[in-house]
Amino acid sequence: MSGSGGLQGLVVGSHGRHCVVETPDGQRRICHPRGKKSQAVVGDHVLWQPAAPGQGRGQGDEGTIERVLERRNLFYRQDEVRTKSFAANLDQVLILIAAEPVFSESQLARALIAAEAAQITPLIALNKSDLVEPFARAWERLWPYRHMGGEQASGRHYRVLPLSLTQSGEVDRGVLLPLLAGKTTLVLGPSGSGKSTLVNLLVPGAAAQTGEISQALNSGKHTTTTTSLYWMDGARTTALIDSPGFQEFGLRHLAPTELARCMPDIAAHAGACRFYNCTHLHEPGCGVMAQVREGQDALAISPQRYRIYGELFAELSQSAY
């Protein structure tokens, strides 16, 4: 199918500036961007042109991305130095963490905030339920995420799934498939959480596909730096996107005043503040500060979550020089 300025395609793989574009009939080819405006990420719909005879890089199935079409959303992180885009046009983000190694609640909160800011539904999955005691401790740490806002408050809780991918993979697969059906889902998580196991469980042969894309993009054995989209069904209506692991998650693209609305437990009480421009840090009559307390209270804000809010507010308030 063609459009003004080129043929239509979907970006299904990326490594650096180079992409793999899939045509509506399922064919794939390597494409290179034409200028900064054509820099695409996985999930992007693009217009592209086949390379002119003699202009390819040794292959006859290459092309050039002419334009990235309008995005529904973009999930990315940004620190003082650079912006890292994960994927575009997502329906949800599956954040995979594990009982061991112990997950960072700060990194989890940052990923959730980025999803909220982009209006993308997040799912949280806690892997390694077979490690009984570490899992029990990790599940307890996630109590605020499973209950935040409470049923009677204006906030909402996150869906948190217990998994044991190496011990009960088929059971977990049965739980996950209905949640993913008909959607484009980005799998996100730190190294050691079981992300590769999850992807290969849901998409048999995914590792081989990653290797093929990596080889095509001349990225050698560094497959972890490649972002790939996998179709989970023949009709190509359900997609899973595997992204490289991350250790840091900057939120410099957000203003500090945007934080509260991106944290459901904070947002649930922000309307009760005396001042409309309350920072929820020191003002009298603050509806948020009044709800910070220990204990398993669905209407409360956990001290740890409030501490993360304060740290992020300070971080985002600093001028970037």
Side-chain angles (χ1 to χ4, degrees), residues 10-321:
L10 173 70
V11 178
V12 295
S14 72
H15 178 82
R17 284 169 51 85
H18 309 310
C19 299
V20 175
V21 173
E22 182 178 271
T23 60
D25 61 1
Q27 296 185 42
R28 297 185 172 192
R29 69 172 66 204
I30 299 169
C31 286
H32 313 282
R34 188 190 299 279
K36 290 186 176 181
K37 288 186 178 181
S38 61
Q39 289 187 9
V41 301
V42 171
D44 269 329
H45 297 281
V46 298
L47 297 179
W48 65 280
Q49 292 280 10
Q55 292 185 359
R57 303 189 184 188
Q59 299 189 37
D61 58 351
E62 297 193 6
T64 302
I65 294 176
E66 302 294 325
R67 184 158 64 93
V68 176
L69 301 180
E70 184 177 356
R71 293 165 171 156
R72 185 157 49 95
N73 55 50
L74 176 67
F75 186 75
Y76 67 104
R77 58 187 171 94
Q78 181 176 321
D79 56 27
E80 297 91 334
V81 179
R82 65 182 187 133
T83 298
K84 169 61 179 176
S85 297
F86 289 99
N89 300 313
L90 298 171
D91 295 300
Q92 57 190 7
V93 177
L94 174 60
I95 304 170
L96 182 66
I97 51 179
E100 286 186 349
V102 176
F103 67 88
S104 163
E105 188 176 346
S106 175
Q107 297 300 349
L108 170 62
R110 288 165 181 263
L112 289 169
I113 288 167
E116 295 281 354
Q119 297 184 319
I120 302 168
T121 300
L123 296 171
I124 303 170
L126 179 62
N127 191 22
K128 305 185 183 180
S129 63
D130 49 293
L131 304 177
V132 179
E133 291 187 7
F135 186 86
R137 288 192 294 269
W139 191 252
E140 179 71 13
R141 289 177 66 202
L142 291 173
W143 197 95
Y145 298 86
R146 293 184 281 124
H147 299 276
M148 69 173 57
E151 294 182 2
Q152 305 303 317
S154 58
R156 60 172 177 75
H157 64 275
Y158 291 112
R159 183 155 194 172
V160 184
L161 306 171
L163 303 178
S164 179
L165 295 172
T166 59
Q167 301 298 316
S168 59
E170 284 308 308
V171 174
D172 293 342
R173 191 171 188 271
V175 171
L176 288 166
L177 286 180
L179 299 175
L180 305 177
K183 298 181 173 67
T184 297
T185 304
L186 172 70
V187 180
L188 188 71
S191 57
S193 61
K195 199 152 56 71
S196 296
T197 304
L198 173 70
V199 172
N200 282 299
L201 175 69
L202 295 173
V203 189
Q209 291 184 52
T210 300
E212 290 172 6
I213 288 178
S214 180
Q215 186 175 15
L217 293 172
N218 298 317
S219 56
K221 63 183 179 180
H222 302 294
T223 54
T224 53
T225 61
T226 301
T227 300
S228 305
L229 181 148
Y230 306 104
W231 293 115
M232 296 177 61
D233 61 334
R236 294 189 291 171
T237 61
T238 302
L240 199 68
I241 299 176
D242 184 21
S243 65
F246 66 91
Q247 300 302 321
E248 300 294 333
F249 202 109
L251 293 171
R252 290 286 179 155
H253 54 293
L254 298 179
T257 51
E258 294 181 272
L259 273 179
R261 69 172 179 82
C262 295
M263 300 178 74
D265 46 348
I266 305 290
H269 303 290
C273 296
R274 181 188 303 176
F275 303 108
Y276 76 93
N277 59 347
C278 185
T279 64
H280 318 304
L281 295 172
H282 53 73
E283 293 88 347
C286 174
V288 170
M289 293 170 63
Q291 296 296 332
V292 178
R293 55 183 175 273
E294 296 279 3
Q296 295 188 345
D297 180 350
L299 294 176
I301 300 168
S302 78
Q304 175 65 5
R305 285 278 298 173
Y306 183 69
R307 184 159 50 249
I308 290 171
Y309 169 80
E311 291 170 354
L312 285 173
F313 196 99
E315 178 183 312
L316 300 181
S317 297
Q318 295 174 355
S319 299
Y321 292 106

